Amino acid sequence: MKEDFNLLAPLLLAIVGLLAGAILKSILKRTGFPYTVGLFVFGLLIGLLNRFHYFDFMPRVENAVATVADTNPDFILYVFLPILIFDAAYEMNMHIFKKTLANSTLLAVPGLVVCMLLTAALMIGISLFAPEYTSWTWPLALMFGALISATDPVAVVALLHELGTSKRFSTLVDGESLLNDGTGIVCFMLFFGAYTLSGASTASPVVQFLEVVIGGILLGFCLARLTIWFITRINSEEMIQNSVIILSAYVTFILSQYYMGISGVIALVAFGLTISYTGRPRLKPQVNVFMEKFWGLLTHIANTLVFIMVGVVIAVKVDLNWSDLIILLLVYVGLNLIRFAMIMLFYPVMKRLGYGLSKRESVILTWGGLRGALGMTLALMVSYTPGIPEDIRRQVLFLTAGIVTLTLSINATTMRWLLRRLGLIQVSSARVLIDSKIQGYLHDSAEKYMEKLSAKAALHDANWNKVKKYLPPSLSLSPSGPLPTMEFLSEIRLRILDREKAVCHQLYDEGVVSKTTFLHLMNSLDEMYDHDGQYTLDFRPSIFNYCNRTSVLPRIQKKLHLGDSISFYFRERIVNVYDLARGFIILQNEDLNLLNELNASELLTPDQKKRLDILRTEINHNIDRMNHVTLQLEQNYPKAYRHALTVKSIRMMLTYERRTIRKLQDDGVISEKDAERFIEKVDERTDQGNSFRYSMPGTLLRGILHAISPKKR
């Protein structure tokens, strides 16, 4: 019976942990205290209660906590880490990540190496005056420096998202964590390998580092492309497609980390980014929706259990004395200073790369260098390795656990205060004004509706004083005085871009635009977001440059005397240009509708409504330019233009049929299984429609053959 319960101990941990997580999340939501820090404190409390025998009267609970404390580090590494790494990579905004990649790489590779070397020097310095640490050597110090230098900013990134800080900065913090997890493990294994049974590698550390990193990138990319190829051809329900992606994520990590000896984290980052950027547009919309929800749930479960487990392990495993505590505080201060020195070393370069880096953001980057589950996992691996001296094992586990505890309890909990102090979460006066007007509008609208309800005879006896308490808050304080024109226009432009983004997803889901058009439109919006609404709405170089590249074709027509036949050879390109033009015009018309809604509302003053004419001019300029593009297509390439209309009509007709089937299912006319059967038939015709296109190499070959062959009259 006791053995059976030992098998159930992990299940008990999961049940109690998730229940505690649900309670903590609901409690901490109102306090602003980081959720992951709350979980860590809960784990510490459970571990301490067990350590001081408060669970003696419940032997099964005591046994379960002890089982958690003795968790094999490989369990955390191979079960939880792939979930957290893949989800972070999958949710990454690829456009922002590419622009922050240079800075993230600086922090994660040379930055981590600098921190590792300085931390090792710190530990060697401590060993000179602390008798308990005289056993430390440079290889051991470098091993510790590698495992403690990798950051785990889960709590900080969650707080940055919650407070609405810059998406660019939070992506930089998240990107550094993703990359330096891989770098940290690689550097750690270079020194840890000397104490394992396999022995140290004879290869150069630099060569070995490049092999595991480049190998991880290539493996992750190749497996992602193979996964995308497979799931787009099985054409099955979203449950099966998502199962394949989950399986592939674990296969990528296990194959790279365990069997091939390359970086599993780097491989999984490459896998997740490729799935997100290349695969997401090719998957069915319902698959993407399911993916986001499912991986969000998995990440919540993994974070909840990992932070509780880390707390329990620290409370049960770590021994504390006063001399160790003094060394711990010294190391904690030293690590923060080392991270600050590293960031200042690269700051002159980082402020010029990508989005740049401000001095205030560099302070947050320093203070946000939390340590978490990865460092504890590596420290547990050290503590279970007999080849390492026992005192070193104990000290590595103690120092790592202490640094994790201090960074989570001090750095994470003071981050909100520091962000406010540095002014990194200030909202523009234009946004405050508009939000306050919206809040006032909601209050007035709800109040009028309540008056209508109170006039109904059926509701006459309701306690309307109590109902009144549930009205939205009244108009809050808004900025006094006129808003600067540029600030006001920038805020409205950002809201217009938000509308375009939502409509763009809707057009793609409804089949109005193709995948190629969807990607072009979304890339253009990302570029506009980069400028925070300061650029005019008609600054769309990526879209118009793509469309204007077809202007060279008429000259080729005249020079080679091809006539309109060239439109047949390049019709796929012309179809894409037409589709992009029509989709862009639809977005611009939606922008005009939004301006009309703002003009008709009571949210803006008469003076502010007049300023909307500037934006209306920018939008109309876009429409005029794109109408000229479509007119040129119709005049210069009538055959390809007609083909574009045909392809668009086929796509919209098939999409309408899908919507009709879903509506019949929602109305209960057909069952879900019948609906899926009908959808599969539509997908088959969609595949046939996709074959109604030509690849460019084949098109060029046909063009050459047609040009050199005699014309038939």
Side-chain angles (χ1 to χ4, degrees):
M1 191 70 177
K2 187 176 181 180
E3 292 180 359
D4 292 340
F5 183 77
N6 288 337
L7 296 175
L8 292 176
L11 179 61
L12 179 64
L13 162 72
I15 294 173
V16 174
L18 293 176
L19 178 61
I23 296 172
L24 279 172
K25 199 170 185 68
S26 61
I27 294 174
L28 297 177
K29 189 176 182 180
R30 301 177 182 178
T31 65
F33 194 80
Y35 171 63
T36 51
V37 180
L39 294 171
F40 174 71
V41 173
F42 175 76
L44 278 177
L45 179 61
I46 295 297
L48 289 173
L49 290 175
N50 192 73
R51 182 167 185 166
F52 293 108
H53 307 293
Y54 284 97
F55 292 140
D56 285 351
F57 66 98
M58 293 186 293
R60 292 189 172 182
V61 174
E62 184 182 24
N63 182 54
V65 176
T67 302
V68 173
D70 292 329
T71 299
N72 190 317
D74 286 339
F75 178 78
I76 300 176
L77 190 67
Y78 287 99
V79 174
F80 293 117
L81 196 61
I83 296 174
L84 300 176
I85 295 295
F86 175 80
D87 181 70
Y90 180 77
E91 293 297 327
M92 194 78 70
N93 184 306
M94 194 63 180
H95 173 79
I96 299 178
F97 178 70
K98 285 190 291 186
K99 297 199 72 170
T100 59
L101 180 59
N103 281 340
S104 296
T105 305
L106 268 179
L107 293 172
V109 183
L112 185 135
V113 172
V114 168
C115 288
M116 178 185 71
L117 295 174
L118 293 178
T119 303
L122 173 65
M123 296 309 302
I124 295 298
I126 290 174
S127 70
L128 296 178
F129 67 84
E132 301 91 342
Y133 287 78
T134 53
S135 301
W136 282 72
T137 62
W138 274 103
L140 290 170
L142 288 168
M143 180 185 69
F144 175 72
L147 75 87
I148 204 64
S149 296
T151 58
D152 182 16
V154 174
V156 174
V157 172
L159 187 61
L160 293 175
H161 288 311
E162 176 190 338
L163 296 176
T165 51
S166 170
K167 176 72 173 174
R168 307 164 195 168
F169 181 62
S170 61
T171 302
L172 171 62
V173 176
D174 217 0
E176 181 207 356
S177 173
L178 280 175
L179 298 178
N180 75 12
D181 280 356
T183 309
I185 291 178
V186 170
C187 293
F188 170 79
M189 289 299 179
L190 290 178
F191 300 101
F192 179 69
Y195 302 98
T196 60
L197 295 176
S198 59
S201 173
T202 57
S204 165
V206 176
V207 173
Q208 191 177 356
F209 178 84
L210 292 175
E211 284 178 354
V212 296
V213 170
I214 296 174
I217 294 173
L218 293 176
L219 179 66
F221 175 77
C222 292
L223 288 178
R225 297 293 301 188
L226 180 63
T227 301
I228 294 168
W229 174 84
F230 179 74
I231 61 179
T232 52
R233 277 158 179 77
I234 60 176
N235 195 25
S236 186
E237 58 186 13
E238 56 266 28
M239 196 73 71
I240 296 177
Q241 292 187 346
N242 279 283
S243 299
V244 172
I245 294 175
I246 296 166
L247 175 65
S248 301
Y250 273 99
V251 167
T252 299
F253 187 80
I254 295 171
L255 184 63
S256 56
Q257 187 73 29
Y258 186 77
Y259 288 101
M260 300 182 66
I262 57 181
S263 175
V265 174
I266 297 296
L268 204 52
V269 169
F271 178 86
L273 290 174
T274 306
I275 290 290
S276 176
Y277 183 70
T278 306
R280 187 179 293 191
R282 299 175 63 179
L283 299 176
K284 299 176 183 178
Q286 58 267 31
V287 175
N288 288 321
V289 172
F290 184 88
M291 277 279 289
E292 292 175 7
K293 293 181 178 179
F294 180 77
W295 280 100
L297 175 62
L298 279 185
T299 304
H300 169 74
I301 293 173
N303 271 323
T304 300
L305 298 182
V306 164
F307 277 92
I308 292 176
M309 289 174 68
V310 169
V312 170
V313 169
I314 290 175
V316 174
K317 290 280 187 182
V318 176
D319 297 320
L320 178 65
N321 57 55
W322 286 108
S323 61
D324 283 336
L325 184 59
I326 293 173
I327 297 297
L328 171 63
L329 293 176
L330 180 62
V331 173
Y332 169 72
V333 174
L335 286 176
N336 281 292
L337 292 176
I338 287 171
R339 182 165 173 81
F340 179 72
M342 179 271 291
I343 292 174
M344 288 299 100
L345 176 66
F346 294 110
Y347 177 75
V349 179
M350 293 178 66
K351 69 180 183 180
R352 292 176 173 84
L353 294 177
Y355 294 115
L357 184 72
S358 67
K359 291 183 178 179
R360 292 180 298 174
E361 289 173 339
S362 66
V363 174
I364 296 298
L365 207 55
T366 301
W367 198 241
L370 310 182
R371 275 65 170 183
L374 179 63
M376 277 302 302
T377 301
L378 300 181
L380 285 172
M381 292 174 64
V382 172
S383 70
Y384 291 160
T385 304
I388 299 175
E390 185 177 352
D391 58 336
I392 299 293
R393 285 186 280 158
R394 185 191 69 81
Q395 290 161 1
V396 166
L397 182 61
F398 167 74
L399 290 175
T400 305
I403 296 301
V404 169
T405 303
L406 290 174
T407 54
L408 286 175
S409 58
I410 298 176
N411 298 46
T413 54
T414 56
M415 184 60 66
R416 183 187 296 267
W417 172 85
L418 187 60
L419 285 166
R420 294 189 186 280
R421 188 76 176 174
L422 294 175
L424 289 175
I425 52 177
Q426 290 181 350
V427 183
S428 68
S429 55
R431 174 161 293 190
V432 172
L433 173 65
I434 294 175
D435 287 347
S436 63
K437 290 291 186 66
I438 293 174
Q439 187 176 328
Y441 173 78
L442 292 174
H443 175 81
D444 295 341
S445 177
E447 195 171 40
K448 292 177 182 178
Y449 181 69
M450 189 186 72
E451 291 175 0
K452 292 181 180 179
L453 289 179
S454 62
K456 294 181 178 292
L459 301 174
H460 184 266
D461 293 332
N463 187 342
W464 291 103
N465 290 327
K466 195 169 186 178
V467 173
K468 192 173 183 180
K469 295 179 180 179
Y470 289 86
L471 284 173
S474 58
L475 184 65
S476 61
L477 294 176
S478 59
S480 56
L483 286 174
T485 299
M486 290 306 299
E487 184 179 336
F488 171 75
L489 292 178
S490 296
E491 179 60 30
I492 300 299
R493 285 192 189 106
L494 288 175
R495 294 178 183 264
I496 288 174
L497 295 178
D498 290 341
R499 168 70 76 93
E500 284 193 26
K501 191 171 185 179
V503 174
C504 192
H505 279 283
Q506 181 182 349
L507 294 177
Y508 178 59
D509 292 343
E510 293 180 354
V512 178
V513 298
S514 65
K515 180 194 74 173
T516 303
T517 296
F518 173 75
L519 291 176
H520 277 297
L521 293 174
M522 294 301 293
N523 288 337
S524 172
L525 288 173
D526 285 334
E527 291 170 358
M528 292 293 290
Y529 277 119
D530 285 347
H531 304 291
D532 295 322
Q534 297 178 7
Y535 279 24
T536 60
L537 293 172
D538 53 1
F539 182 77
R540 308 290 180 105
S542 61
I543 287 183
F544 287 106
N545 288 343
Y546 180 82
C547 293
N548 291 333
R549 288 190 192 115
T550 56
S551 60
V552 70
L553 297 183
R555 291 195 291 270
I556 297 176
Q557 285 184 164
K558 293 179 180 179
K559 196 168 185 179
L560 299 179
H561 306 287
L562 295 176
D564 184 48
S565 58
I566 194 171
S567 68
F568 176 81
Y569 310 137
F570 292 93
R571 66 178 181 176
E572 183 175 1
R573 169 77 179 197
I574 295 170
V575 166
N576 289 336
V577 172
Y578 170 79
D579 198 52
L580 178 60
R582 295 309 307 168
F584 185 68
I585 289 174
I586 293 174
L587 294 185
Q588 301 311 296
N589 286 325
E590 286 293 328
D591 294 346
L592 292 176
N593 292 337
L594 177 59
L595 292 182
N596 292 335
E597 292 169 7
L598 289 173
N599 196 56
S601 70
E602 301 176 359
L603 299 177
L604 305 180
T605 64
D607 179 63
Q608 291 168 348
K609 291 179 180 179
K610 289 181 181 178
R611 300 187 209 177
L612 296 180
D613 290 337
I614 299 174
L615 303 180
R616 195 172 280 108
T617 300
E618 296 171 4
I619 296 170
N620 283 323
H621 186 213
N622 279 336
I623 294 176
D624 292 340
R625 291 176 68 187
M626 203 53 86
N627 278 329
H628 177 73
V629 169
T630 56
L631 181 62
Q632 291 297 311
L633 289 178
E634 184 178 7
Q635 292 177 349
N636 295 330
Y637 323 106
K639 292 182 180 179
Y641 184 79
R642 184 179 180 185
H643 176 72
L645 296 179
T646 304
V647 170
K648 187 179 184 69
S649 300
I650 292 173
R651 188 173 62 244
M652 294 184 67
M653 183 186 70
L654 294 173
T655 303
Y656 173 78
E657 186 176 352
R658 288 191 188 91
R659 289 203 309 270
T660 305
I661 293 170
R662 291 300 180 193
K663 187 176 185 307
L664 292 174
Q665 178 189 340
D666 295 338
D667 293 341
V669 177
I670 59 177
S671 66
E672 183 178 356
K673 289 185 178 181
D674 289 337
E676 292 297 334
R677 181 164 50 84
F678 285 121
I679 292 289
E680 286 180 6
K681 294 180 180 178
V682 178
D683 290 339
E684 290 175 2
R685 277 178 283 149
T686 301
D687 293 337
Q688 295 173 3
N690 290 336
S691 64
F692 187 49
R693 290 153 48 178
Y694 293 88
S695 63
M696 187 57 68
T699 298
L700 290 174
L701 179 60
R702 282 188 296 273
I704 294 172
L705 293 175
H706 185 86
I708 63 177
S709 62
K711 295 183 180 181
K712 294 182 180 180
R713 298 292 179 185

